[in-house]
Amino acid sequence: MTDIITEPGVLVTGAAGGIGRAVAGLFADQGHAVTLTDRDSAGLEDIGGRLRDRGCKVDMIAQDLADPDAPAMLVACTVEKWGGIGVLVNNAAHHGKRQSVLSSEPDEWRQVFEVNVIAAAALARYAALDMARRKTGAIINVGSIQQALPVSSYAAYVASKGAVAGMTRALAVELGLLGIRVNSVSPGVIGTENFRRELETRHDGASAISYPSLLGRLGTPEDVAHVIAFLAGPHSSHVTGADYVVDGGRGISRRTDPFHAEITHPVSGK
């Protein structure tokens, strides 16, 4: 028995890797029509091709969400391809540079917010316009535990994820009577390929890291994908405006985050 809304289509952003790839695979493998989008065209073709080889119903659109015309186009293509949009997963994110906030420039903050907040809000708006016609739909925004537990040198990203949390609640308040539920998930330390590569560059191999979760392991993209599937499906039909933390207890752990590092400020040298 599936736990995911069956019809119409599902739109997943940032689908070429990590959490987005796991979400796309889970929805598609369970028989749902899925539109995948990412600016990584090669990664998108890889996951899309693999899913098609398994007989899944998928459409791929290579697109950078920094383009202000992208949200309207992506929703329109999903509606045209599958007859409507039933689930939106706002997963794509731009992390920006790791640097002292004293070194950051306003344009760098704008680049982060354009993808993480403005594009996500626009996608939600256009998706909700279609969902409202059927008085049903689910929007799931991917946040981060960094909104509450920030590590150094990610100020723009942390601020953007705080905005995503507020946006989730605001949209839930506005869209509830239209039958549209809006929730978020906040992943902790998740063992994506990009995360593992960064760990390898910062440490003597990921195996040397004391994982910060209480469960003694990295989370997996699939851990997050299954929570997103729950929030998209009928068993969460009375859940809206909520944030589900998927961090293995990281939020109550006193262990050091593997990404935390001392940074050099341009003024003090410390």
Side-chain angles (χ1 to χ4, degrees):
M1 181 181 70
T2 181
D3 188 38
I4 303 176
I5 291 173
T6 55
E7 293 294 343
V10 177
L11 173 58
V12 181
T13 69
I19 292 169
R21 186 180 181 104
V23 171
L26 178 59
F27 278 64
D29 281 338
Q30 295 194 2
H32 307 289
V34 186
T35 296
L36 318 177
T37 187
D38 201 292
R39 66 178 182 175
D40 176 4
S41 57
L44 198 63
E45 287 294 327
D46 179 64
I47 180 60
R50 291 172 185 267
L51 292 174
R52 281 180 172 168
D53 288 345
R54 299 205 292 264
C56 297
K57 296 178 289 185
V58 297
D59 189 32
M60 295 97 74
I61 305 173
Q63 180 63 51
D64 189 341
L65 288 179
D67 179 348
D69 296 325
M73 180 273 290
L74 289 168
V75 172
C77 288
T78 302
V79 171
E80 180 179 1
K81 181 74 175 179
W82 310 121
I85 180 169
V87 177
L88 167 66
V89 181
N90 269 322
N91 168 70
H94 178 50
H95 288 79
K97 291 182 181 178
R98 292 212 66 185
Q99 60 184 346
S100 163
V101 67
L102 302 182
S103 301
S104 62
E105 297 291 340
D107 279 347
E108 293 167 340
W109 281 68
R110 289 189 191 97
Q111 290 167 13
V112 172
F113 271 72
E114 280 172 359
V115 173
N116 299 3
V117 182
I118 296 172
L123 282 160
R125 173 188 179 249
Y126 290 117
L129 286 169
D130 181 73
M131 293 172 180
R133 295 188 298 108
R134 293 178 305 281
K135 296 283 287 184
T136 186
I139 297 170
I140 300 98
N141 299 316
V142 178
S144 171
I145 64 166
Q146 287 203 46
Q147 63 177 293
L149 295 168
V151 296
S152 60
S153 74
Y154 266 145
Y157 175 77
V158 170
S160 75
K161 290 304 183 179
V164 168
M167 178 179 70
T168 298
R169 294 189 294 271
L171 294 180
V173 169
E174 290 202 27
L175 300 177
L177 291 181
L178 297 176
I180 302 167
R181 297 181 300 104
V182 187
N183 294 289
S184 62
V185 297
S186 289
V189 182
I190 305 299
T192 63
E193 290 182 9
N194 287 340
F195 178 87
R196 291 180 184 279
R197 277 197 296 268
E198 183 153 354
L199 277 184
E200 291 289 345
T201 62
R202 290 174 175 274
H203 303 277
D204 239 353
S207 61
I209 303 302
S210 176
Y211 297 131
S213 83
L214 297 180
L215 302 179
R217 67 170 178 87
L218 287 174
T220 68
E222 290 74 21
D223 289 330
V224 183
H226 282 287
V227 176
I228 290 173
F230 164 72
L231 291 172
H235 294 304
S236 63
S237 63
H238 203 57
V239 177
T240 194
D243 179 52
Y244 276 61
V245 177
V246 188
D247 71 346
R250 171 68 186 95
I252 57 173
S253 166
R254 292 179 173 83
R255 297 170 185 168
T256 303
D257 192 298
F259 271 2
H260 182 76
E262 295 297 324
I263 57 174
T264 300
H265 294 295
V267 176
S268 66
K270 295 182 179 178

